[in-house]
Structures are given as structure tokens and as C-alpha cells.
Amino acid sequence: MTADVSSSRLSPRRGARFLLSTALALGLGLSLAGCKTSAEKAEEYYQSGLQLLEQGDVDRAIVQFRNVFDIEGTHYEARKTLADTYRAQGDIGQAYSQYLRLAEQYPDDLATRIALARLAFDSQQADEFVRHATRAQEIAPQDAEVQVLDLTRRYREATLAEDDKARASLGEEAARMAQTRPDDPMLMGILLDRAANARDLDEADRLTARLLELQPDNPQRYAQRLALLAERQDKPAIEAHLRATIAKFPDNDQAKADLVRFYMSENQPDRAEAFLRDLAEAAPADDPAPRADLVRFVEMQRGADAARAELDRIIAEGGDPLLFRTLRAGFDFRDGKQAEAIAEIRSVLDGVTEPTETSLNVKVQLARMLVETGDAAGARAQVDEVLAQNASQPGALKLKALWDIQEDRADDAVLALRSVLDQAPQDAEAMSLMADAYDRAGEPDLARDYLSQAAAASNNAPAETLRLADRLMSEERWRPAEDAILPALRRTPDNLDLLGALGRIYLSMPDLPRAEGVITRLREIGTDQATAAADRLDLARLANQEGEAAALAYLEQQANAADADIGAKLSLIRAQLASGQAPAALKLAQDMVAADPESRAARMALAMTQAANNDLPAAREIFTALIAEKPDDLPPHLALIRLATQEGKLDEARTLTEQGLAALPDNPDLLWSKAGLAEREGDIDGAIAIYDQLYARDSTSIIVANNLASLLATWKSDDPAAVARASAVARRLKDTTVPPFMDTYGWIQHLNGDSAAALPYLEGAAAALTQDAVVQLHLGVVQAALGKTDAAKAQLEKGLEMLPEGQEGQSITAAREALARLNAPAQAGEAASNGTTGGTTGGTAGEPLGDAAPAAGQATN
């Protein structure tokens, strides 16, 4: 049976559906065929970037690699290629950032860790180097690259630890590795350090030259090469190298300054000036710095008048009047025309309608001038105005930080200085101030670190270097102190302060041959100051090497020489008095006066030796005559006051002090004397007021700080504001090992509720100051607060037995009450529950006893 044709036809509605479905299917098929996955798009950008790199179009290649991350942020190959590209271009910051992102995404990727470690090492990021080198070691300890990193890390640790034996062994290991990796910069760096220590200048020459070939864009390699050439005294090569450095790094101000110093060391000031003039002429109009450098050089070489003439020329040629008139005013200020200079700068600023970077800098300069002239309020007003216009202006922030430090707001100073260093990471002045701030905050390790950074940032300038060296010497870290001074001496080889410090370091090591070398160098310089410095070092060398008798013989030889001046004789007298040879000192002083009866120095020496020989009336007569002749001469005043105090004549000492202050108003030494006398007589408020005055004038004095804090904590312990002030002033005493300072700091810790922290300080103070009753009582009170009942009883009884008859005071009363509570704890507890303690402290065994503070006599002179 045939099918009915009509039954096989599609109805119009059904046909339309079929066609629609087909069209959708075809359309969907076409759409799927033309669409790429995210991975495919990312790969296309990556391949495009590679092609652009091959064609040398680095900028567009970088754009393509970054496009990859918009689609696929974890694309390893693109991220690594981008990091490698930045590294090849010398953009170390961007390279490091990309490698770091890669390390976050692929923490076990060895190549990334190696790259990060090497970049961190080259950019002197020590902590980052150690972090990535350590991780690489964990991932693949047998990898040759990793072994180099690990060796470098261990060599660095041995250097920091001053472990010469370990350094030598690791240096030999580096030499073995270098046989198969002769051009590895890290190994070459170790070998260079080893060659420098061995004074193998030929090997150092080879290494620095090769490192410069391998890393021609690394400024450190230029500095290393310069140091080698300076060591070899290859002067033509030094000049050529400095000019090559400037050509390679046109913005390297240090290289320019080094070239100027080189010309000056060669006695070629004309060439130095010509070089600076070339820089000034080549500088764009909106860069006044080279012209300013030229002006300063002209002033240094030919004086202020020549510099003023140079400034007049620059101003006439269109130089920025705001800057160059301010410079001219600076010369006037230094010449003593302070009022005129300040008026000139104010006049210049009157023409400023909108604040600019230059105008704000000029206002800061005006503030510095006002500080120097004693107008602190005016200076602060200028700084406030600058900060209102630009809250992050570096110069104003540094002045504000300085004032914060002086007023014991160390934390505020640190915040301000961090802002400065965020803008200018190599600001040596900010780093020095940061060291001061951390000193005030009782953080000596951080302070030392910033002193080291300041010395490096200043390119080993003498001032910053000496601050660092002095700190290291005070900690008896002789080798690091030497390492700090030697680079500075290479730049300024005839600097007497640096040479003197180096000589003292060698004497302290001891390294007598090298100390003698410094003495010889000072004598070669030959100026009066250099000779005097050599004599001082020679004397110390003799004392160290041959003893006190040899040193005295040396002084006698100098004093008896035909051309001996009075200084040599006075040095001998001081040494004789210090060694107990008072009769010999008296004889020499008498001879000096007989030779020159009008000499004030000789008469002063005679009076001092008379006092040492117990002829007090004769000494007093000379001191009194010297004062009558010249009332504003300080030493005779102090000597008379000292005599009266030694004899227990406190009324006379007070009268003499007032007489001295009448002739020398506000003299700090006389004020110090007055404060001590006030303290002895029980005028504690008067003594605090004087120490406050002294502290306001010079808050850097640690002794003034100790005494002020001690008195505040002693006599104002019930005043929270006074205790807070004492705490702020005494923060710098943290970690002190000076017994009186330990007592002050420990007691303040106790008053602040931290008796556990106070205990080791007070134990140390009590062990050293065994005859000071109040120090013993402090320890006992703190032991009681910590529940050390038996020890506290014994300590308090000991301290009370030591007290002179009739001596009383708040701390003594508090100690008696503490002992009473320990002896009768039940009665004390019952009285406390009834609210009738009857004492002034109100403390318990676990609380600080507010009034149990140190007696005034604990303040240290």
C-alpha cells in the first residue's frame, strides 16, 4: 500500500521549527568555531610578546606580557620572561617585583629563588638575600648555583661575626668553586674581599676589572674599582675612571664630588673649578644645583666675596632669585650679619605668591637661621607654616623631629623621619636623627644600625663616620670601628679626627705596629694640631706598652725640652697629680710661676697643686686673686667652690656659686654646682628647676637626664605627670650598665608597675654601690613588691642600718613601712582592710610603692 502523499508533508508550523533549529545549530556551530579559550588568548599574547622581543621591540613586548596576566595571572612562562626582560633592561626594582610574585605563586621554583637571591645580594638587601638563599638551599642543596648562594651567605655571617678563621676557610672554598665558575660575581666578590685582606693588589686589580666587564651597569663595581685604584695610587687611572663613571651615570653626584676631591688632593683647584663650571653650563635652566655647587666651591677656594660676585653674575643671567639670593644671604649670615641675612630672606619670600618646592626649602633655611639666633618660637612658626602647606616636606620634618627628640617625644620623631626616608632613602641627616631618636627611646641596637646607614649614605663623610666609630668604640667593637673609618680616610686621608680615632682603635685592639703607623702619618702632616694628636697617641702607646712610669718619663722629656710650651708642662702636672706625685707637681708649678709670674695658666696650676698638697689657704688666695683680675674666667670659680664643698662649708660654696653666676649668668657648670648644693640642703624643687633648665638647654647630656629623672621619681612619685616625665627622660637608660643609672632606671620601672623588670637593674646597682644606703633600700622595696620576703627583709634592714643618724626622707619612710609590713603582715593586712594603713605609700607586696623613691643624693655628677 502506498503511503498517502499528504501525510508525508510537514505542516507549516513544524517546518518553521525545523528551520529555526537548524539555523540556531549552524549559528552555534559557527560561534563555537570562532571563539578562543582564555588559555588560548593568554598564550597568544605570550607568543606575541616573544616575537616582539626577538624583533627588539621591548616596550611593546612588555605590554603583551602584562596582557597575559589580565587573563591568566599565574602564567609562569610569561611572568618569568617579563622578570628576565626587566632584569636584562637593568630595571632591578620591576624585575625583583615580578620574581617575587612568581615566588608567591610557585614557592618551590628554584630558578626564581636563585634570581631573587642574586638580585637581593646585588642591591644589598641582606635580609632578603638570606631569606631566598635559605629557601633555595632547602629546595636543592646539591645544585651548583645554590651552593654558591649558601657559601656567600655563610661568608657574610662569618664576616659579621668577625670570625677570621671561618672567613679564611670559606675563602678557600670559594677559590675552589671559582675554578669551574670563574665569572660568577658572587664568588668573585668573596675572592676580592680575600685579596683585599691579604693586600694582594694584583689579584684585586684583576677581579675588579673583570667584575666591571661582567656588570657594567652596576654602580657598586665602579666603586670597587675606584677603591682599588686609590689603594694603588694610580692617579691617571683614578681620574679616567671617575670620568668614565660620570659618563655612565650622569646623575651620580658622588662620582662628581669624588672627581672634585681628586683634583683638590692633587692641588689642581683650577681643574676642579673648570669641571664644576662645565656642569653648571650644561645644566638645564630648571636645575640650579650645579650652579649652587659652583658657588660653594668658589667660596671655599676664594672666599665669600668671590662667591658673592659669582652669585651676582648668576642672578643677573636669570638664575632663580629665590634660591641664589638666599645663598647670598647665607654667606652674610656666616659672616656675622645675621639680622641682615634674615631680613633678606624674608624679603625674598615676600615675593612668593604660590608655595613651591624651592620656597618651602628657603623657609626651612630661614627656620634653621632663627634656631641659631635663639628665636625658637620664630623657627617653629616657619616649620608649622611649611608643614601646613606640605605635610611631608623633608626639611621641616627633620627640624620637627629634632625638636621632638629634644623634648623626649622619640616615637613622634621616628614617625616624622620615616616619612623623610620614604621620600629620600639616602638622607644621611635623617638617618643620624633617627639614631638620636632610637637612643632616646632606649633602643641602642637600632640607633647603631642607623648610624651605620648614615655613614654609608654620606659616602663615609667624616662627621657621620666618627659618630659611628665612637659608638662602636664605646662598645669595644674595635674591628668594625676600624672598618668604618678606613673608607672615610681613603676619601680624606689627612683628616686629623679620623686619624686620631684610628690610632685609638689600634691602641685598644691592641695593634701597636699599626698605631705607630698612624703616629708617623700625623707627624708627617706636621701641623701643630697633627703633632699634638701624635703626641697624645704616642703617650697612650707608651702607657700601654711600657707602663705609667714610661709615660711620665715621656711627658717629663717633653716638658723639659728647650722649646717646650706651657701645654707640655701642664700635661706633666696633670699626670703627676693623677699618679699621686703631688710634691713633684707642686715643684714644677712653682718653677713655672717663677719663670712667668703673670701667667694665669701657671698660677692656676700652682693653686691646683697647692690644694693637692693640702695647702688650702695658699690655693684659695691664688684662686681669689685670679677671679678679682678676671671675674668671667670660669675655672677659678669652680676650683673655689670645690674647695669649700670638700671642707663641708656648704654656705660658703653656695655664696661662691652665686658670685660666679653674677659674673657668668646661666653658666651650665655653675648651675650644676647650684643644683647639687640645693639638693644637699633639701631644696629639691630648686634642684629640679635647675636640672630642668639645664635639660632644656642640652637634653643630650645623659648625666643631666639621669639626675632630673632621679629627682622627679624620688620626690614627685605621687604625681603621675612627674613620673611620666621621669619615664620619658630615662628611656635612654635602658640596658645601661652604669650603676647610678641602673638605680634610676630600675626605680622608675618599679614606679610604673614593672617591678620584675626593675629587679635586675636594682640588683646590679646595689652590688656596685655597696655604700649607698638608699640604693640598698630601693632593692629591698622592689624585692618586697615581688614577694621575695626573706631577701627583702634582709636588704631593708641592711639599708636602714647603713643610714647616717638623723637622715630621713620619703624613700626612707617608705622603706621603713615596707619592712614593717613584712615583719607584721597580719596587722598590715587588717589595717589595710579597715582603710587605715597610716603610711604614705599605700602599696602592697605586689604593687609599686610610689613614695619609696631614691634619695636626692643618688643623682650622679
Side-chain angles (χ1 to χ4, degrees):
M1 162 177 197
T2 61
D4 188 20
V5 174
S6 62
S7 67
S8 66
R9 291 179 181 168
L10 295 174
S11 67
R13 184 183 298 266
R14 186 178 175 190
R17 287 178 180 170
F18 176 79
L19 291 172
L20 181 61
S21 299
T22 303
L24 284 173
L26 290 171
L28 183 60
L30 289 172
S31 174
L32 287 172
C35 179
K36 298 177 182 177
T37 66
S38 296
E40 289 171 334
K41 283 186 177 181
E43 183 64 19
E44 186 174 282
Y45 281 129
Y46 172 58
Q47 293 299 329
S48 173
L50 291 178
Q51 291 174 4
L52 289 168
L53 271 186
E54 290 178 3
Q55 297 164 11
D57 193 345
V58 176
D59 291 339
R60 290 178 63 200
I62 288 173
V63 172
Q64 293 296 75
F65 292 137
R66 287 192 173 278
N67 286 335
V68 173
F69 308 136
D70 292 338
I71 300 170
E72 186 181 341
T74 59
H75 194 295
Y76 175 88
E77 291 81 2
R79 182 80 66 186
K80 185 171 188 309
T81 306
L82 179 59
D84 292 343
T85 301
Y86 278 130
R87 188 178 185 182
Q89 292 295 106
D91 191 342
I92 301 304
Q94 284 284 7
Y96 195 85
S97 175
Q98 294 299 326
Y99 283 125
L100 199 59
R101 184 70 180 273
L102 208 55
E104 293 169 356
Q105 295 169 346
Y106 303 94
D108 294 334
D109 185 65
L110 181 62
T112 299
R113 292 293 179 178
I114 291 172
L116 282 168
R118 287 190 175 269
L119 287 177
F121 184 83
D122 286 343
S123 57
Q124 300 181 40
Q125 300 181 65
D127 292 342
E128 284 291 281
F129 165 70
V130 170
R131 179 165 75 96
H132 295 300
T134 301
R135 184 67 187 117
Q137 172 75 5
E138 293 168 353
I139 295 169
Q142 300 306 316
D143 183 89
E145 283 260 12
V146 172
Q147 289 176 351
V148 172
L149 297 180
D150 186 58
L151 175 63
T152 304
R153 178 188 61 78
R154 288 183 286 139
Y155 189 85
R156 175 182 175 275
E157 289 174 353
T159 301
L160 291 175
E162 301 179 44
D163 188 342
D164 292 339
K165 183 177 180 180
R167 286 176 71 189
S169 173
L170 293 169
E172 292 174 3
E173 188 175 343
R176 288 193 297 272
M177 282 189 181
Q179 291 176 4
T180 56
R181 304 175 65 90
D183 281 345
D184 188 303
M186 280 190 167
L187 294 176
M188 295 173 74
I190 295 174
L191 296 180
L192 177 58
D193 186 62
R194 189 172 78 152
N197 288 331
R199 309 292 298 164
D200 186 347
L201 298 186
D202 290 339
E203 175 68 357
D205 183 88
R206 182 189 72 80
L207 288 166
T208 56
R210 183 57 181 153
L211 280 166
L212 197 54
E213 291 174 5
L214 293 170
Q215 297 181 324
D217 296 323
N218 188 334
Q220 183 185 4
R221 302 311 178 198
Y222 287 80
Q224 289 172 330
R225 183 68 180 165
L226 177 61
L228 181 278
L229 295 173
E231 195 71 33
R232 301 198 86 153
Q233 293 291 300
D234 188 345
K235 295 177 181 179
I238 290 172
E239 179 183 3
H241 179 76
L242 285 170
R243 286 195 172 274
T245 304
I246 294 166
K248 181 69 176 179
F249 305 104
D251 296 330
N252 187 329
D253 292 333
Q254 183 56 48
K256 296 170 187 175
D258 284 342
L259 183 57
V260 171
R261 274 194 288 267
F262 170 76
Y263 284 137
M264 296 305 295
S265 69
E266 293 299 294
N267 196 26
Q268 297 176 340
D270 292 344
R271 295 192 68 185
E273 184 172 333
F275 171 68
L276 291 173
R277 285 194 183 280
D278 289 342
L279 292 178
E281 290 171 6
D286 60 352
D287 181 10
R291 296 177 182 85
D293 291 339
L294 173 61
V295 169
R296 295 187 186 96
F297 181 84
V298 169
E299 183 210 13
M300 180 180 69
Q301 287 303 113
R302 292 188 269 127
D305 290 341
R308 285 191 186 91
E310 193 71 37
L311 283 167
D312 290 341
R313 180 187 65 79
I314 291 172
I315 294 169
E317 293 175 356
D320 183 358
L322 184 59
L323 172 63
F324 292 108
R325 283 178 63 188
T326 298
L327 280 176
R328 189 168 57 188
F331 292 134
D332 292 337
F333 190 87
R334 289 193 292 276
D335 284 348
K337 301 175 183 177
Q338 296 180 331
E340 294 91 333
I342 290 172
E344 169 72 355
I345 292 180
R346 290 191 188 277
S347 173
V348 174
L349 287 170
D350 285 343
V352 176
T353 55
E354 292 292 331
T356 64
E357 182 180 351
T358 301
S359 71
L360 295 181
N361 286 334
V362 170
K363 287 183 178 181
V364 171
Q365 178 61 26
L366 175 58
R368 291 181 184 272
M369 289 180 172
L370 293 171
V371 167
E372 197 166 331
T373 58
D375 186 359
R380 288 177 185 260
Q382 287 293 325
V383 167
D384 289 344
E385 186 177 326
V386 170
L387 292 176
Q389 293 170 332
N390 180 0
S392 60
Q393 208 280 339
L397 285 175
K398 284 188 282 189
L399 275 176
K400 181 180 181 299
L402 172 64
W403 294 327
D404 284 337
I405 293 167
Q406 291 172 346
E407 294 164 9
D408 295 308
R409 293 193 297 271
D411 296 338
D412 292 343
V414 168
L415 290 175
L417 293 168
R418 281 178 181 162
S419 176
V420 175
L421 291 171
D422 285 343
Q423 302 171 68
Q426 296 303 306
D427 190 321
E429 182 186 17
M431 292 172 181
S432 292
L433 286 168
M434 190 72 93
D436 292 336
Y438 278 123
D439 266 332
R440 287 296 175 99
E443 299 289 350
D445 291 341
L446 287 172
R448 186 195 317 108
D449 182 56
Y450 272 99
L451 287 176
S452 178
Q453 292 184 51
S458 72
N459 292 297
N460 309 113
E464 287 79 6
T465 297
L466 286 166
R467 282 199 68 191
L468 172 62
D470 286 344
R471 171 60 64 87
L472 294 170
M473 290 163 67
S474 72
E475 298 169 353
E476 298 186 358
R477 300 179 65 195
W478 311 116
R479 185 69 66 184
E482 178 197 18
D483 291 341
I485 285 180
L486 288 177
L489 269 175
R490 278 193 281 269
R491 295 187 178 277
T492 54
D494 291 344
N495 185 286
L496 300 185
D497 293 329
L498 291 172
L499 285 168
L502 185 62
R504 293 193 297 275
I505 289 167
Y506 287 148
L507 287 173
S508 300
M509 280 184 171
D511 189 336
L512 297 180
R514 287 204 284 177
E516 290 172 356
V518 173
I519 293 168
T520 300
R521 177 67 191 125
L522 287 166
R523 297 203 187 283
E524 289 172 352
I525 293 172
T527 63
D528 290 344
Q529 286 182 314
T531 301
D535 288 342
R536 288 192 294 271
L537 288 175
D538 221 1
L539 178 63
R541 179 188 63 79
L542 274 172
N544 284 354
Q545 197 170 12
E546 300 179 30
E548 184 180 283
L552 271 172
Y554 174 85
L555 287 172
E556 288 173 2
Q557 180 182 357
Q558 286 192 315
N560 293 328
D563 59 347
D565 59 13
I566 193 170
K569 298 179 186 297
L570 292 175
S571 295
L572 176 57
I573 287 174
R574 283 192 290 269
Q576 288 171 329
L577 291 175
S579 60
Q581 299 183 32
L586 176 61
K587 176 64 170 60
L588 178 55
Q590 289 169 336
D591 292 343
M592 289 169 60
V593 172
D596 187 359
E598 300 303 316
S599 169
R600 289 183 63 84
R603 292 158 66 199
M604 186 74 189
L606 176 57
M608 298 285 289
T609 57
Q610 287 170 333
N613 283 276
N614 294 316
D615 190 353
L616 302 188
R620 188 176 288 108
E621 182 179 350
I622 294 177
F623 291 140
T624 303
L626 290 170
I627 291 171
E629 294 168 8
K630 192 176 180 182
D632 61 351
D633 187 18
L634 177 64
H637 286 287
L638 295 177
L640 269 182
I641 294 167
R642 192 175 298 113
L643 284 182
T645 304
Q646 288 172 350
E647 293 180 286
K649 299 176 180 179
L650 299 187
D651 290 342
E652 180 182 335
R654 186 173 62 255
T655 300
L656 290 168
T657 300
E658 295 296 346
Q659 289 175 356
L661 285 168
L664 295 159
D666 297 326
N667 179 274
D669 293 304
L670 292 170
L671 287 172
W672 182 274
S673 171
K674 185 176 181 179
L677 290 168
E679 191 179 340
R680 287 191 181 197
E681 294 173 346
D683 182 8
I684 301 303
D685 288 338
I688 288 174
I690 296 171
Y691 284 129
D692 227 345
Q693 180 183 349
L694 290 169
Y695 192 77
R697 290 172 59 175
D698 180 13
S699 64
T700 63
S701 170
I702 194 168
I703 298 178
V704 171
N706 175 76
N707 287 10
L708 176 60
S710 178
L711 290 181
L712 287 169
T714 297
W715 302 101
K716 306 291 182 182
S717 57
D718 57 348
D719 179 352
V723 173
R725 175 85 195 285
S727 301
V729 170
R731 283 178 74 183
R732 75 189 73 180
L733 302 180
K734 180 184 176 184
D735 297 330
T736 181
T737 57
V738 179
F741 298 171
M742 294 173 74
D743 177 65
T744 299
Y745 186 80
W747 187 248
I748 290 173
Q749 291 296 98
H750 169 66
L751 293 180
N752 284 323
D754 196 350
S755 298
L759 184 61
Y761 286 96
L762 293 173
E763 286 176 335
L769 302 172
T770 56
Q771 301 306 309
D772 193 312
V774 176
V775 173
Q776 307 304 317
L777 293 176
H778 283 170
L779 175 58
V781 170
V782 169
Q783 287 171 331
L786 292 170
K788 298 178 179 293
T789 303
D790 293 340
K793 282 183 181 180
Q795 188 68 27
L796 289 167
E797 288 169 354
K798 172 185 173 183
L800 291 170
E801 288 175 4
M802 291 170 59
L803 284 172
E805 186 176 350
Q807 182 176 347
E808 292 297 335
Q810 289 173 300
S811 55
I812 296 168
T813 301
R816 294 189 197 283
E817 291 174 352
L819 182 59
R821 284 193 299 274
L822 292 173
N823 285 329
Q827 294 91 318
E830 183 180 347
S833 67
N834 293 328
T836 57
T837 57
T840 60
T841 65
T844 68
E847 298 175 345
L849 306 177
D851 291 335
Q858 231 354 81
T860 303
N861 285 314

